[in-house]
Amino acid sequence: MTTTIESTESETLRIGDAAVFEQRQQQFGMAGDWFAALQIENWKRYLELPRPTRVSEKWRFANIRFLDELENFCVAPLRAVDEPSLLERSERLSKVSGRLTFVDDNLAAPRTMSPELESKGVIFATLVDALARYPDLVKKHFMKHSPDLGSDKYEALHVALLRNGVFVYVPKGVVVEDPFIVNYWNQADDVAIFPHTTVVCEDDAKVTVLEFQESLNPDAAGLVIANAHMIAGDRAQPTHDIVQNWNRKTLSFQLNTNTVGAETNARGLIINLGSRQARQEVHGRILGSNSNVEMYSLNVPRGEQEFDQRTLQTHVAPKSRSDLLYKNALSDDTRTIFSGLIIVEPDAQQTDAYQKNNNLMLSESAEANSLPGLEIGANDVKCSHGATSGRIDESELFYFLARGIPKHKAQELMVFGFF
Amino acid sequence: MSELVIKNLNVSIGDRPILKDFSLTIPKGEVHALMGPNGTGKSTLAKALSGHEDYEITSGEVLLDGENIVGMEADGISRSGLFMAFQYPSEIPGVTIANFIRAALTARLEEGQNFSAPAYYKELYQHMDELKIDRSFTSRAVNEGFSGGEKKRCEILQMAMLKPKYAVMDETDSGLDIDALRIVAEGVNRMRGPDLGVLVITHYQRLLDYIVPDKVHVMWDGRIVKTGGPELARELESRGYDWVKEELAEPVA
Ligand SMILES: Nc1ncnc2c1ncn2[C@@H]1O[C@H](COP(=O)(O)OP(=O)(O)OP(=O)(O)O)[C@@H](O)[C@H]1O
Ligand SMILES: [Mg+2]
């Protein structure tokens, strides 16, 4: 199941070069005409869609100047990965169901996976392999949902230029106890990558995917346009956790959807530590009754980082619950934006929906923007939303100091306390 | 040199002078009591000694075993061995007592020294038992939702764990019921010894019945105006502060 990697000599083009898409198609044309057609369609869509502007409601408060830089990034060249330290650094946790590790969209090591799960029909494959071996399954689930939160243009770019990723499929009734580990690394300077993770958890199935996003080179400026889609059947229990820790020169997008059926227990967590500027969109859609969907995010921006997070909780069916909690601990000159909307459709009676954004301000010059929202079409619902913002109390800080605890350690403890 | 020497300390809050040429020496091994009417600057002394930024030391010296601590950061002062039991201890949501005291001890470790968790908990529980603090408190957030008396006991617990060279206890007796007062006083008496100097700030003789001071000082308008033995505290208890004022007002010439 490993992909052979050969170096190519041809010049790598920038996203803004007219020929980039065709060159990309010639080099990496992935299996399936439908897939090629989808990529062509999305490239067109990317070119046609207008760039968001400051007045776009879905980009309110965002510093959108970084969008001007995107077309200067090169597409990641195909190359063999030879990075001895990498595998060791990617060996997180000992009890796992499988691992996949990528560097600049190239598979960096042979996939590992529990043979027992394989025999039960569980798929944990690169997108390239999955397209070749399970075309119908991939076609059925690939890019069927969209966050719809403002980054359509960049979602289209993701689909058009992606050339690898992960496809996870857990058949009906199969329980995967240990997590699948996905490591996405970026490395080369000036390069754009398009990590893609689709997780399908069928009825009565259970799976946990842990995704780590990191940079091998702390100084390489990168662009990352990542997508993660979780599709859960009835009574399924999927968990997808992402730790975003790209270097401080990287611009990143994370565009996610979680779509669940009835009586499902789903969780999505994003921890944001890295990136120069990170834009994230998460859309949780509940199509069945008696489901519980948790959407969490913990964010620790430092320096001049900006984290811009937009969320949607859409309740289509009655009697389900969604719980969103986004927490930010802001230091230095950082900015965060949280804009969240709960939509309760007319049929979704007896919905329980919660949305909370809590900010801990560790610095006078940090800025937290909060835009919580509700759009309720049903009359018998329990919804609450809110934002809090607190500063570290000077008298509390003094109490730490008076016990000999240095300021940085005191802040660390207070941040831990906040989370 | 084994003494805490406060020499001609002048402290202002904003533009307002509060301590005026305040001088006091506490040798190690002794317990001194500081008494005085409300608003004379007792807590100001405690805060200024501990390095609080709002209390500006405009002149004077504070020598801790010979080392001047004026101008040092609060955390450095604490680590050099001065402990402050506050009149109004802060609440720290989200940080447990166990983690808080642990961080304070870890900050005192020398290079290469290791922290031993089992030994730490053993000692912590021993002091908690002595101070009649329920062991479940270790996992509660520091002072959050504590009763007044629980907060004061928690201050003494921290003092016992941090083993300072000198301690200033600002009205540790206020808010304590009779039993708690005895428990806290016994805790302080256990720590008493040749390696510790204590300044007890109080309004009441009651505490001094348990913690018998070597010296009693009376403070008035930012400075010490009278010093005596334990009998001075009893005299204040029965006569109030007015006679001190009158004595002061008597023309010297
Ligand atoms: N942080 C502060 N800001 C402004 N004024 C202050 C502050 N702290 C103390 N003061 C003032 O300084 C003076 C001395 O106060 P301090 O708290 O030191 O008195 P005290 O002797 O401890 O009194 P008590 O016996 O009531 O505890 C008071 O007039 C008080 O109002
Ligand atoms: Mg006071």
Side-chain angles (χ1 to χ4, degrees), chain A residues 394-407 409 413-414 416-418, chain B residues 50 52 74-75 78-79 83-84 86 90-92 94 100 104 107-108 143 155 158:
Chain A
E394 286 300 315
S395 70
E396 284 174 28
L397 183 60
F398 176 71
Y399 195 65
F400 281 91
L401 297 178
R403 295 299 177 245
I405 302 168
K407 188 171 172 179
K409 182 71 193 171
L413 286 167
M414 284 192 265
F416 274 120
F418 170 70
Chain B
S50 58
H52 197 296
D75 56 327
S78 167
R79 290 195 301 272
F83 183 87
M84 210 53 61
F86 292 105
S90 296
E91 302 192 2
I92 315 284
F100 185 74
R108 286 162 169 79
N143 293 328
E155 294 289 285
Q158 294 175 45

Side-chain angles (χ1 to χ4, degrees), chain A residues 154-166:
Chain A
Y154 307 104
E155 177 191 78
L157 184 62
H158 168 90
V159 178
L161 295 184
L162 77 80
R163 63 175 176 80
N164 222 325
V166 175

Side-chain angles (χ1 to χ4, degrees), chain B residues 37-44 46 87-88 170-171 201 203:
Chain B
N38 296 131
T40 47
K42 303 181 297 300
S43 295
T44 299
Q87 184 172 359
Y88 303 109
D170 193 358
E171 295 196 30
I201 298 172
H203 288 295

Side-chain angles (χ1 to χ4, degrees), chain A residues 62-102:
Chain A
N63 182 356
I64 61 164
R65 269 178 311 224
F66 80 104
L67 298 175
D68 294 336
E69 299 174 42
L70 307 189
E71 299 214 324
N72 298 330
F73 286 90
C74 299
V75 292
L78 188 66
R79 63 184 170 86
V81 176
D82 182 20
E83 199 61 51
S85 71
L86 172 84
L87 292 184
E88 207 175 298
R89 289 172 66 187
S90 302
E91 287 280 309
R92 297 165 230 260
L93 307 180
S94 50
K95 270 189 93 199
V96 304
S97 293
R99 288 178 213 274
L100 276 168
T101 299
F102 301 84

